[in-house]
């Protein structure tokens, strides 16, 4: 094979679409990861990138390599999983969480929180810092879930590149942080290791938003920047799952590009802070 690899195109032809369906079906049957209802535009970009990285020129050859090379399968799953995040991403959201949501939770003797699609854990540690500063962390149980066990292991470790701490510190300050951000981690070589106390109240577990059901009633659910990668069927399914998982008057937090407007459950929520995508479940 020569060194010419595919250049991303605006769309695939009908044969390639069938090949993609076969590829995704194989991954689902072999490993249980279901990407079949991810938005096609996002899948297209990620699969085209995998063709380049794996140095194959057709989807069929990528499928053959995945079927016969377990490490290639691992790389493919990681490549299609959405693992882009940052600590205190969208600082205004975390400021609104601190000022408008946590005071509501303060009256509860026991607070249940679900971070759906936690990825590598940046938002979990951001949330834990917020709860610690508000004196609530000791009476919380936080469930951090993701479809990918490998990224859950990274989240459990709480180790991130030290070079990111300057950016994360600025986000923390903008989010209303009340301490020195460096108090929460230890620098070791090129890494920042976050303090174990921050995840003592966290349960990391695998959960598939497409196939798994509710597993508790939560006072707060964060599912941010996850559904933008799903097609309409899967988005509707996840909205129902989140609603069914919220306690009465529980709060749902979405990502900046996500909204409840025009969803089947729009009327079942009251806007708590619409610009920051915070909504309260109503009976």
């Amino acid at each position: 094979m020569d060194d010419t690899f595919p250049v991303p195109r605006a769309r695939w032809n009908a044969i390639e679409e069938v090949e993609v369906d076969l590829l995704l079906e194989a991954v689902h049957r072999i490993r249980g990861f279901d990407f079949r209802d991810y938005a096609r535009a996002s899948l297209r970009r990620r699969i085209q990138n995998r063709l380049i990285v794996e140095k194959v020129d057709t989807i069929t050859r990528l499928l053959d390599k995945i079927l016969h090379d377990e490490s290639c399968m691992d790389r493919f799953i990681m490549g299609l999983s959405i693992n882009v995040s940052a600590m205190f991403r969208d600082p205004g959201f975390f400021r609104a969480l601190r000022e408008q949501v946590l005071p509501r939770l303060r009256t509860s003797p026991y607070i249940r929180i679900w971070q759906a699609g936690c990825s590598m854990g940046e938002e979990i540690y951001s949330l834990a810092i917020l709860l610690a500063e508000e004196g609530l962390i000791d009476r919380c149980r936080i469930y951090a879930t993701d479809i990918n066990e490998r990224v859950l292991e990274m989240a459990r470790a709480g180790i991130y590149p030290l070079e990111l701490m300057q950016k994360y510190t600025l986000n923390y300050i903008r989010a209303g942080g009340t301490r020195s951000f460096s108090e929460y981690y230890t620098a070791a070589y090129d890494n920042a290791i976050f303090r174990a106390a921050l995840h003592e109240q966290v349960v990391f577990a695998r959960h598939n938003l497409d196939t798994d059901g509710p597993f508790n009633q939560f006072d707060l659910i964060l599912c941010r920047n996850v559904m933008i990668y799903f097609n309409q069927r899967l988005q509707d399914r996840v909205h129902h799952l989140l609603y069914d998982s919220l306690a009465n008057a529980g709060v749902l937090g979405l990502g900046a590009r996500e909204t409840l407007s025009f969803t089947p459950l729009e009327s079942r929520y009251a806007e708590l802070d619409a610009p920051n995508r915070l909504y309260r479940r109503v009976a």
Side-chain angles (χ1 to χ4, degrees), residues 179-215:
R179 302 177 189 171
S180 171
F181 186 63
S182 60
E183 292 180 19
Y184 295 109
Y185 64 86
T186 301
Y189 301 99
D190 295 327
N191 292 319
I193 305 172
F194 279 79
R195 302 200 179 281
L198 290 173
H199 60 73
E200 286 180 353
Q201 306 300 325
V202 180
V203 176
F204 293 96
R206 186 176 176 188
H207 183 275
N208 188 331
L209 291 171
D210 188 16
T211 59
D212 295 336
F215 58 94

Side-chain angles (χ1 to χ4, degrees), residues 26 53 56 65 91 99 107 193 265 277:
V53 170
V56 292
K65 189 172 182 180
E99 296 175 354
T107 59
I193 305 172
L265 298 176
R277 303 299 192 263

Side-chain angles (χ1 to χ4, degrees), residues 24 30 39 53 64 82 85 111 143 149 167 203 242 270:
L24 300 180
I30 295 171
V53 170
D64 183 69
I82 311 302
S85 190
I111 303 166
Y143 294 85
E149 183 61 42
K167 173 186 174 183
V203 176
L242 299 180

Side-chain angles (χ1 to χ4, degrees), residues 105 107-112 138-143 201 216 219:
L105 301 182
T107 59
S108 299
Y110 189 73
I111 303 166
R112 296 155 299 182
D138 290 337
R139 50 192 171 104
C140 287
R141 177 65 72 187
I142 307 167
Y143 294 85
Q201 306 300 325
N216 211 324
D219 303 293

Side-chain angles (χ1 to χ4, degrees), residues 148-160:
N148 194 325
E149 183 61 42
R150 183 176 172 188
V151 300
L152 285 171
E153 291 174 2
M154 298 169 72
R156 288 187 190 97
I159 301 174
Y160 304 100

Side-chain angles (χ1 to χ4, degrees), residues 48 142 236:
Q48 286 170 335
I142 307 167
D236 289 347

Side-chain angles (χ1 to χ4, degrees), residues 89-128:
R89 182 181 184 181
D90 303 323
F93 173 86
F94 284 93
R95 182 178 286 274
L97 205 59
R98 182 194 293 269
E99 296 175 354
Q100 300 186 56
V101 178
L102 297 192
R104 292 172 173 267
L105 301 182
R106 193 175 298 281
T107 59
S108 299
Y110 189 73
I111 303 166
R112 296 155 299 182
I113 301 173
W114 179 19
Q115 170 86 56
C118 71
S119 187
M120 292 182 286
E122 291 94 333
E123 287 205 15
I124 281 295
Y125 290 95
S126 303
L127 178 62

